[in-house]
Amino acid sequence: MVHRNKIPSDIQVVIALVLLTCIFITVPALSNTPIRTVLGLPMVLFLPGYALIAALFPARDDLDGIERLALSFGLSIAVVPLIGLALNYTPWGIRLLPILISLSAFTLLMCAVAVFRRISLPEDDEFSVPFTSAYVSIKEGISRKPENKLDRILTILLVISILASVVTLAYVVVTPKEGEKFTEFYILGPEGMADGYPTELRAGQSGNLIIGVVNHEYADTEYSIELVLGNNSLPIGQELQHITLQHNQTWEKEVIFTPESVGDDMKLQFLLYKNNNMTEPYRDLHLWIDVGES
């Protein structure tokens, strides 16, 4: 039995990717870059399963490369939800940092087990990914003088095509296609629920509710809100006249209104205008309220 201290090259790559992912997620200056997404996908979809397979099957003849690759994806898809389920029953819950720590700890633990089991095998029997030999082979294939210029041109075109495919895949991942552009506009009762609306008031009595706006327009958008009872606008605060939201940003505000007229089944309208276009409401909601004499 031969004992070695060298960490296999594929395990080194896994450890490096895990550490890089942790850095790009936890460091504020790096967390908003596209690299975070590029590193996060294999962290969830591949690395945990690959580390587990490496720990379970350390020998070269246990599995071939295709089987290891397929099982790495499959086991990652199985392991990650189980870790999330376990976190759901802890005080930390399913949040970004606990998930990152749990996945990193699991992957690094499996890497340690894989290293221990591999170095216990004869060097010729342990599984390894031939990164160095593959690099040398590619380098020799490109630098070796071909028999004719056509072979060299085809080799260069093949390398360019592979690089273009990788770049295109990364671009598609980090730049998702924009979905439908729309704005959520809603009203809630005073308790923040979709009930308990102030629909029965007395003249001079104020009612309060919550108005919410969510921007899904894929751009910074300015909104204005108007309350209309019958044909008359109700006085509201200036904070409802100029609301600027970034994409996916949510805005909620408690609004107090006071009817100035008496009547039954009066239509209280909530009008939302976008980008200073006050000619026609972009969204509208309404309540039917009864206002009795004081």
Side-chain angles (χ1 to χ4, degrees):
M1 181 179 294
V2 179
H3 294 275
R4 296 174 298 281
N5 295 322
K6 180 181 177 182
I7 299 178
S9 57
D10 59 325
I11 301 299
Q12 293 182 24
V13 171
V14 172
I15 295 174
L17 288 175
V18 170
L19 295 179
L20 280 175
T21 303
C22 293
I23 292 173
F24 273 87
I25 289 179
T26 56
V27 177
L30 302 175
S31 61
N32 292 325
T33 63
I35 300 177
R36 167 181 169 169
T37 304
V38 174
L39 293 173
L41 287 176
M43 182 68 182
V44 174
L45 299 177
F46 182 76
L47 297 183
Y50 184 87
L52 179 58
I53 288 295
L56 294 175
F57 303 102
R60 183 190 306 273
D61 296 333
D62 289 339
L63 296 171
D64 60 30
I66 299 299
E67 290 173 334
R68 288 179 184 272
L69 185 66
L71 287 175
S72 296
F73 283 104
L75 286 180
S76 293
I77 295 173
V79 166
V80 172
L82 290 177
I83 293 177
L85 180 62
L87 283 174
N88 188 49
Y89 293 97
T90 67
W92 304 288
I94 304 177
R95 298 196 301 273
L96 177 61
L97 192 57
I99 290 176
L100 176 65
I101 294 174
S102 301
L103 287 181
S104 300
F106 175 83
T107 304
L108 294 177
L109 177 62
M110 292 300 102
C111 286
V113 174
V115 172
F116 176 78
R117 296 196 65 190
R118 286 189 190 180
I119 63 177
S120 301
L121 296 172
E123 187 172 1
D124 293 338
D125 292 340
E126 71 172 272
F127 174 78
S128 63
V129 179
F131 289 116
T132 304
S133 60
Y135 170 75
V136 172
S137 176
I138 293 174
K139 183 178 179 181
E140 290 179 350
I142 296 176
S143 60
R144 184 177 64 250
K145 186 176 180 179
E147 297 180 358
N148 54 63
K149 291 184 178 181
L150 179 61
D151 291 342
R152 186 175 184 84
I153 292 173
L154 292 176
T155 301
I156 294 175
L157 290 176
L158 178 61
V159 173
I160 293 175
S161 299
I162 294 174
L163 292 176
S165 300
V166 173
V167 172
T168 302
L169 177 61
Y171 175 80
V172 170
V173 170
V174 303
T175 312
K177 183 180 178 182
E178 290 187 2
E180 180 184 359
K181 298 180 180 181
F182 65 98
T183 296
E184 293 183 47
F185 185 42
Y186 58 87
I187 52 176
L188 303 173
E191 303 299 327
M193 306 293 289
D195 58 13
Y197 298 108
T199 56
E200 296 184 359
L201 300 171
R202 297 275 180 186
Q205 180 185 1
S206 297
N208 64 305
L209 43 74
I210 297 172
I211 298 180
V213 181
V214 186
N215 179 12
H216 297 294
E217 304 287 346
Y218 290 89
D220 292 355
T221 307
E222 184 174 346
Y223 300 97
S224 297
I225 296 175
E226 181 184 13
L227 270 64
V228 177
L229 181 59
N231 296 320
N232 301 316
S233 295
L234 297 180
I236 53 176
Q238 290 295 321
E239 64 272 13
L240 301 185
Q241 301 300 313
H242 302 286
I243 306 166
T244 301
L245 302 180
Q246 299 177 348
H247 175 60
N248 278 339
Q249 184 177 357
T250 299
W251 176 93
E252 284 189 355
K253 181 71 175 179
E254 183 178 19
V255 176
I256 300 176
F257 64 94
T258 304
E260 298 178 350
S261 57
V262 176
D264 296 331
D265 291 331
M266 302 177 68
K267 187 176 184 181
L268 175 61
Q269 299 183 77
F270 303 83
L271 307 179
L272 179 70
Y273 300 92
K274 186 177 77 168
N275 292 333
N276 296 317
N277 181 9
M278 307 299 292
T279 57
E280 183 177 354
Y282 179 59
R283 295 284 187 269
D284 67 273
L285 302 168
H286 67 270
L287 290 175
W288 296 101
I289 66 173
D290 296 330
V291 180
E293 294 182 355
S294 58

